[in-house]
Amino acid sequence: MTTVFTGNFTQQEPLPQASIDAAMAVLSHGRLHRYNESAGEIAETAGLEVDFAQAMGAKYCLAVASGGYALATALRALGVGPGDKVLTNAFTLAPVPGAIASVGATPVFVGVTEDLVIDLDDLAAKADQADVLMLSHMRGHIVDMDALMGVADAGGLRVIEDCAHTMGAKWKETWSGRFGVIGCYSTQTYKHVNSGEGGLFITDDEAIMAKATMLSGSYMLYEKHRAGADAEAFEDIRLMTPNISGRMDNLRAAILRPQLADLKRQCDRWNERYKILDSGLENTPGLTLIDRPIDEHFVASSHQFLLLDWPDSAIEDVVKRCLARGVEIKWFGAPNPVGFTSRYGSWKYVESTPMPASDRVLRSIMDMRLPLTFSLDDCRLIAEIIKQEVSSVWQSIV
Ligand SMILES: *Cc1c(COP(=O)(O)O)cnc(C)c1O
């Protein structure tokens, strides 16, 4: 008896009614631009910034056009420019090296461990090459942040956190995004809150916040921000900072605010699904699950496992057999990037030195989305299918 899964791996939930109502209100009054406020009104974008700053315990928050834009703005606000090198993860997605390249800087890739986090020994070895680390919590895997900040501080590195996959996650008691000098988030459809496109930027540093606000295209309207820097912080920079427009609009902010209020519940639902998948895959021969430390309070919206040291053809076989049963697994080791998969060597515009230990891990990564439209039974079935197919291919190669 072979069962087949019929769900859709890219179908997110519909937006909550509160988001739809808030969107309708914005559409009805027509003031979509963030600085277009009627007398006494606080625009949705300014309100979203207050909500998110409060939720994260940050002094300042800036809402922008995308997660990638937030990352590039973070680099510019730290003064990174042409010719500079920026350390970043070998295991990440294209917008991260892309943000670095967009300011004329060069990514220097740091290796990945079997736990799918940044290799701290490699980071320590490369720390003298740059002043900034753009740390990507790729697929929600959070490195020991105390240890990472120790390495960063010792090496004089300022840390920008890419929290596109860790909104609502913590290391010990601290929110992801609150260790570095800046935390950046994406509100794109496949992340933890959905406005189609969008990004959030948080910091406690007033000078950085003022710079980022000017960069994002505030003109001289920065006093309309409610989670922004004081007007005095703009005095020296207001005429010296280029406008690189990338503002968020009130429609997207309106859609996001009810979702943010519900983030904790949604995170719990994602983790319920992840745990079912993870325990369903335990004791599968040849399959390595990712260790999740007790201090890592992660938020899953996807699941990864490794097929370490398998021949390419056997991995391709697993992908094909699972797909035939409706289970879409993405393989990060495929020779050519497919969809959103990629390896550091795929970004041909960057010169990189091969890292054999990381290449072994990257070659083995199997990745799956877990949208909340999947029921818990769906997750049980997906695990069962993967376990069966991995086991039978494994038997054919040992
Ligand atoms: C999605 C994503 C980003 C950028 O977000 P966009 O909003 O799509 O620009 C950055 N880093 C990672 C790891 C991502 O997955």
Side-chain angles (χ1 to χ4, degrees), residues 66-68 71 92-93 95-96 136 138 162 164-165 186 188 191 197-198:
S66 72
L71 292 171
T92 186
L93 288 181
V96 177
S136 186
M138 178 62 174
D162 165 25
H165 303 165
S186 168
Q188 190 232 82
K191 316 296 163 107
E197 303 285 357

Side-chain angles (χ1 to χ4, degrees), residues 98-305:
I100 297 168
S102 79
V103 302
T106 304
V108 176
F109 296 111
V110 182
V112 59
T113 72
E114 283 182 36
D115 295 335
L116 298 188
V117 295
I118 195 164
D119 181 337
L120 293 179
D121 293 334
D122 196 31
L123 178 63
K126 291 173 177 165
D128 62 349
Q129 295 186 37
D131 299 326
V132 173
L133 164 66
M134 183 165 273
L135 173 68
S136 186
H137 302 294
M138 178 62 174
R139 288 296 184 256
H141 297 277
I142 306 174
V143 71
D144 178 335
M145 287 303 295
D146 302 321
L148 178 126
M149 292 311 293
V151 174
D153 291 343
L157 293 170
R158 286 183 296 172
V159 179
I160 298 168
E161 290 182 80
D162 165 25
C163 303
H165 303 165
T166 53
M167 183 186 278
K170 287 180 174 176
W171 178 264
K172 291 188 179 161
E173 292 309 309
T174 304
W175 295 108
S176 178
R178 299 294 290 138
F179 289 89
V181 56
I182 300 166
C184 298
Y185 304 77
S186 168
T187 65
Q188 190 232 82
T189 295
Y190 301 107
K191 316 296 163 107
H192 294 111
V193 289
N194 176 9
S195 61
E197 303 285 357
L200 293 162
F201 170 114
I202 58 171
T203 185
D204 283 348
D205 185 307
E206 189 168 39
I208 288 173
M209 181 62 189
K211 190 102 182 282
T213 305
M214 289 305 302
L215 286 163
S216 76
S218 65
Y219 302 94
M220 299 300 150
L221 299 166
Y222 43 78
E223 285 182 74
K224 288 184 185 280
H225 287 244
R226 306 278 170 153
D230 284 342
E232 301 85 76
F234 291 86
E235 282 313 312
D236 292 341
I237 62 159
R238 57 205 287 272
L239 305 177
M240 292 305 295
T241 309
N243 175 328
I244 306 173
S245 286
R247 296 170 301 271
M248 182 175 277
D249 58 85
N250 289 333
L251 180 58
R252 284 188 276 175
I255 287 171
L256 287 170
R257 295 179 74 187
Q259 295 181 69
L260 264 189
D262 203 27
L263 182 63
K264 170 79 178 78
R265 192 180 69 89
Q266 297 292 77
C267 290
D268 290 344
R269 293 176 64 216
W270 261 302
N271 286 354
E272 250 184 306
R273 283 155 181 75
Y274 181 94
K275 278 170 190 151
I276 288 175
L277 210 75
D278 219 48
S279 57
L281 290 176
E282 272 171 17
N283 304 315
T284 306
L287 182 151
T288 306
L289 292 172
I290 312 302
D291 183 45
R292 310 298 313 236
I294 188 107
D295 289 325
E296 184 197 23
H297 307 291
F298 62 90
V299 179
S301 55
S302 63
H303 186 274
Q304 292 73 42
F305 61 86

